[in-house]
Amino acid sequence: MYDQSGPERSLVAMTYHQLLERVRYEGAYPTPEHAEAAVRAVLTALGRQLTGDERVDLARLLPVEAALALTASVPDTGRLTGWEFVKDLAARTGGTPATARWDTGAVLAPVSALAGPDLLSRILRQLPDGYALLFGQAQLLRPQPVAA
């Protein structure tokens, strides 16, 4: 009998190969190796920003190889905005902010599809401003108090 008390790891919606092909398509990368390098770099960087249940839930939905990249690093204590995330990724990979932004979008588009709207909303609530656009979502501004 099927145990419905918890999520099943075998219900992954995408294999690692399928994820790489999707990222290769999204990023127009010439080879699967380019797509894999982007997946590993972006998910490792994202793993440094995510904590708690959101990190665990996203890792559970990703293919094993992608989940390992996400959880390879201990989360940073300093929180980066979306733009700081891109600049940090560029510095760590030796690329430019433009290529890091391109890689981020190519990887996070299929990741957001795997996460689904509920988990993606939870992830975006946890992260500082600027990440919604990286996930291919509209960036809604948080209300600011009106100065009297």
Side-chain angles (χ1 to χ4, degrees):
M1 174 167 261
Y2 178 71
D3 177 17
Q4 294 182 332
S5 62
E8 291 290 317
R9 180 72 192 162
S10 63
L11 297 178
V12 172
M14 192 179 289
T15 67
Y16 188 60
H17 176 74
Q18 290 169 327
L19 176 63
L20 292 180
E21 284 303 309
R22 179 66 187 223
V23 169
R24 184 176 178 195
Y25 175 80
E26 291 283 338
Y29 297 114
T31 66
E33 292 77 21
H34 282 89
E36 184 168 24
V39 166
R40 290 189 186 283
V42 171
L43 290 180
T44 299
L46 182 62
R48 286 191 292 274
Q49 296 301 306
L50 280 180
T51 60
D53 291 340
E54 290 76 17
R55 178 181 166 106
V56 172
D57 291 347
L58 181 58
R60 191 184 73 246
L61 294 172
L62 293 171
V64 172
E65 299 88 343
L68 290 173
L70 180 75
T71 58
S73 298
V74 174
D76 288 342
T77 56
R79 307 299 292 189
L80 301 176
T81 65
W83 176 236
E84 291 167 336
F85 175 87
V86 169
K87 290 191 305 184
D88 182 65
L89 180 61
R92 289 175 187 269
T93 61
T96 66
T99 58
R101 172 61 182 96
W102 184 269
D103 292 344
T104 301
V107 172
L108 294 184
V111 167
S112 67
L114 283 171
D118 293 337
L119 178 55
L120 185 57
S121 291
R122 289 176 30 223
I123 289 170
L124 292 175
R125 278 194 303 271
Q126 181 188 118
L127 295 170
D129 287 337
Y131 282 86
L133 292 173
L134 299 178
F135 279 95
Q137 305 293 308
Q139 177 70 50
L140 299 177
L141 299 177
R142 294 180 182 155
Q144 300 297 319
V146 178

